[in-house]
Amino acid sequence: LINGSIDLAYARAADGGPVPPLQLIYCRLDSKCVLTGCSMGELDFRDSEIEALWAHKIQTLRHIWLDRVRVADGALFQGAAIGGDFSAVDARFNTKKSLALRLDNSNIGGDVFLRNAVCEGGTNCFGLITKGQISATGAKFRNEDGIAVRFDKSEIYGGVFLNEVECNGQADCAVM
């Protein structure tokens, strides 16, 4: 258990390059984790519970691993530049006031894995660019009062796998 928040907003190494990888596996963070504008090697929060994850415009050289993570109040990655994969297999994203998961206007060098993920509240992938595939097989996107999932104006250079997806709310995949 980590009491309090983690704030690495705009963090860089002493030479101006990325900080080493951040790894919190099987951890519980009772407050927010702020990684806005941070540049790092890799992010690994597998099997952890986090109150909120703010990572707007984060830059990673390699992957972001969020497999089986639980986020209570939004995982926000809008404008992210991810050198490898974004993996949130079996993850659960909730929200109290905003969107559960934001990847809008992000650029991902590898694949996006949302297999069996559950997003309670809107999921925004508007303008997402990925050099690989999007696999959301078995995912559940829920936002009965609005848009449950957006992939409009995204550029996906690999396959799109939305098999057995459950969507409660509106879905926008125009010009995908």
Side-chain angles (χ1 to χ4, degrees):
L1 173 63
I2 299 172
N3 292 311
S5 62
I6 295 174
D7 191 341
L8 294 174
Y10 303 100
R12 299 276 188 282
D15 64 0
V19 297
L22 176 60
Q23 192 174 64
L24 295 174
I25 299 174
Y26 291 106
C27 290
R28 190 169 45 143
L29 179 60
D30 70 357
S31 190
K32 64 185 175 278
C33 180
V34 181
L35 302 173
T36 301
C38 181
S39 178
M40 64 177 51
E42 187 168 272
L43 177 66
D44 190 347
F45 281 1
R46 285 179 283 189
D47 298 293
S48 292
E49 296 179 25
I50 304 166
E51 180 60 28
L53 180 53
W54 299 348
H56 318 78
K57 298 185 179 179
I58 189 172
Q59 299 174 2
T60 65
L61 295 176
R62 292 178 300 280
H63 311 291
I64 291 182
W65 302 106
L66 300 175
D67 298 342
R68 296 168 304 283
V69 75
R70 302 291 181 256
V71 181
D73 195 17
L76 311 178
F77 290 91
Q78 63 266 41
I82 301 165
D85 297 336
F86 180 92
S87 184
V89 173
D90 294 315
R92 184 170 189 102
F93 302 104
N94 294 302
T95 186
K96 296 176 183 168
K97 56 190 169 284
S98 180
L99 293 167
L101 176 61
R102 292 192 68 172
L103 287 168
D104 43 314
N105 297 308
S106 293
N107 193 322
I108 299 172
D111 299 312
V112 177
F113 297 110
L114 298 173
R115 288 190 304 265
N116 299 314
V118 177
C119 298
E120 296 282 353
T123 299
N124 190 349
C125 297
F126 172 88
L128 169 76
I129 298 170
T130 180
K131 303 294 188 246
Q133 66 175 319
I134 290 183
S135 177
T137 296
K140 294 174 176 57
F141 301 104
R142 300 178 180 143
N143 186 10
E144 293 180 13
D145 298 327
I147 295 178
V149 63
R150 291 183 69 177
F151 281 107
D152 52 316
K153 300 190 179 172
S154 294
E155 297 178 31
I156 302 160
Y157 291 91
V160 177
F161 303 95
L162 302 175
N163 304 321
E164 300 177 27
V165 166
E166 178 185 310
C167 188
N168 294 345
Q170 300 171 28
D172 189 347
C173 299
V175 195
M176 184 165 96

